[in-house]
Amino acid sequence: MPDPVLLVLDADPSPRLGRLTGRADVRYADAATLAERLPAADVLLVWDFTSDAVRDAWPGPGRRPRWVHTASAGVDRLLCPELVASDTVLTNARGIFERPIAEYVAGLVLAMAKDLPGTLALQRERRWHHREGQRVAGSRAVVVGAGPIGREITRLLHGLGVTVALVGRTARRTIHGAEDLDRLAARADWVIAAAPLTESTRGMFDSRFFGLLQPSARFINVGRGASVVQADLVDALNRRWFAGAALDVFEDEPLGPDSPLWDVPGLLVSPHLSGDTVGWRDRLGEQFVALYERWARGEPLPNVVDKEHGYVPSPDLDQRPGPDELGNAPDGLTG
């Protein structure tokens, strides 16, 4: 019996798949060749997770892989109606990026509270200018996105003494529903976007939302660029509606040199690197090989994406808010 065909939508550097030698017929494709090679594949590994090639190629003729795995947390660049309607299992890289992204968010909170960008700018000017930083402990945050990334951000911020309200699509035991977001954001010192891109989150951070924030608040996006209306953010920062923002994700990447975002006062721009730490590609490859071995044995796969909703569902969707594991009351901003 021939080995299953594993098709890799490749990117440089390629994944290390040596452990699958003799157990998979590994073939490679790029955006130009994916459509013609897709019908032969039993499994598709989307190693180039910045590509739209899967969404473009999937509606074509021929059979489709039984399983698709993307080496990313987000799946919005893959989903099309035909893939959603199919019986193909879709998995993501849940478990790889949560801690690094949470560490990055914690670093941004500390950097902005202590004005480290200002200190670096003054050092370049060789200018001694004493000023006062802000206390992080005792501040209030809202984390939008109750998946594993949002939960890890919550844990790290709580370790810094921040009181955190975690907001998801649906209210449950330790998590607020979307209907609570406006009320919580209006009282927060930090608003952190870590939600997947869905129809309900696209463009959700707009002029109306930014107008709710306190003048001292700061906004951080490590979720998806298209959840922010960038022109509205630029306008709000230029008008000093709130104190500052940090963006690690953008609707169009890479950010062009003529983008107005580079020069917005109070805005920190980073090139989509919050989850990328030394060795991250190796960890992604190891995760896929472990998943492939489970799939080959006929075992259930973890990290299965609900294709209708666009993310891996949490196990506690039917639970209602109560005192959470951090000791916070349900409104998350008390105490």
Side-chain angles (χ1 to χ4, degrees):
M1 183 175 180
D3 293 329
V5 174
L6 166 58
L7 183 64
V8 180
L9 179 59
D10 207 11
D12 187 30
S14 297
R16 297 181 180 180
L17 302 175
R19 275 172 51 191
L20 299 184
T21 300
R23 291 187 286 172
D25 178 359
V26 182
R27 306 177 188 180
Y28 295 87
D30 58 19
T33 60
L34 180 64
E36 66 180 84
R37 298 179 184 179
L38 196 59
D42 297 295
V43 179
L44 173 64
L45 167 58
V46 185
W47 191 247
D48 184 3
F49 53 80
T50 66
S51 172
D52 294 324
V54 174
R55 188 168 57 200
D56 295 338
W58 196 271
R63 74 181 185 94
R64 289 296 177 257
R66 291 174 281 162
W67 169 36
V68 174
H69 177 78
T70 179
S72 62
V75 299
D76 49 278
R77 303 198 77 139
L78 284 70
L79 293 178
C80 61
E82 292 82 1
L83 175 55
V84 171
S86 73
D87 58 2
T88 295
V89 175
L90 174 62
T91 58
N92 73 352
R94 183 172 183 162
I96 300 295
F97 298 107
E98 289 85 345
R99 183 69 182 198
I101 292 175
E103 291 174 352
Y104 194 80
V105 169
L108 287 172
V109 167
L110 291 169
M112 290 192 284
K114 307 306 178 183
D115 192 28
L116 295 186
T119 296
L120 293 173
L122 289 166
Q123 181 177 347
R124 286 191 293 268
E125 297 173 9
R126 298 172 178 261
R127 186 156 65 95
W128 184 278
H129 175 55
H130 182 270
R131 60 219 189 276
E132 297 174 343
Q134 298 175 340
R135 281 178 58 90
V136 172
S139 64
R140 298 174 170 184
V142 173
V143 176
V144 184
I149 292 174
R151 296 181 190 214
E152 191 64 23
I153 291 170
T154 297
R155 280 189 283 270
L156 271 191
L157 292 183
H158 188 257
L160 295 174
V162 180
T163 303
V164 184
L166 185 57
V167 177
R169 182 178 61 90
T170 306
R172 55 263 204 199
R173 184 174 61 87
T174 63
I175 298 168
H176 297 269
E179 65 276 6
D180 294 329
L181 177 58
D182 287 0
R183 173 179 61 85
L184 296 169
R187 303 168 58 197
D189 301 294
W190 313 95
V191 176
I192 296 133
L197 184 62
T198 66
E199 287 308 307
S200 62
T201 63
R202 185 180 297 274
M204 70 180 295
F205 301 109
D206 56 10
S207 287
R208 186 204 65 81
F209 181 84
F210 295 131
L212 298 171
L213 303 186
Q214 301 182 97
S216 59
R218 292 181 173 91
F219 174 79
I220 297 171
N221 188 14
V222 290
R224 281 292 179 261
S227 67
V228 176
V229 180
Q230 290 182 172
D232 290 359
L233 175 64
V234 170
D235 183 62
L237 288 172
N238 281 326
R239 293 173 182 267
R240 306 294 198 275
W241 285 3
F242 56 99
L247 300 179
D248 186 56
V249 289
F250 306 87
E251 187 164 10
D252 297 307
E253 298 181 6
L255 201 63
D258 57 347
S259 170
L261 294 174
W262 294 110
D263 301 313
V264 178
L267 178 61
L268 295 175
V269 170
S270 58
H272 204 153
L273 51 71
S274 62
D276 302 345
T277 53
V278 175
W280 66 284
R281 290 184 178 86
D282 289 341
R283 289 189 287 276
L284 285 170
E286 291 165 1
Q287 180 189 53
F288 173 74
V289 169
L291 289 174
Y292 183 91
E293 290 172 340
R294 292 188 61 153
W295 177 83
R297 293 193 297 266
E299 298 175 3
L301 290 171
N303 298 3
V304 174
V305 174
D306 181 328
K307 293 181 291 183
E308 292 286 347
H309 290 119
Y311 52 81
V312 178
S314 297
D316 54 359
L317 288 177
D318 60 342
Q319 297 174 338
R320 306 301 299 173
D324 67 19
E325 71 276 12
L326 305 179
N328 297 326
D331 75 357
L333 291 179
T334 60

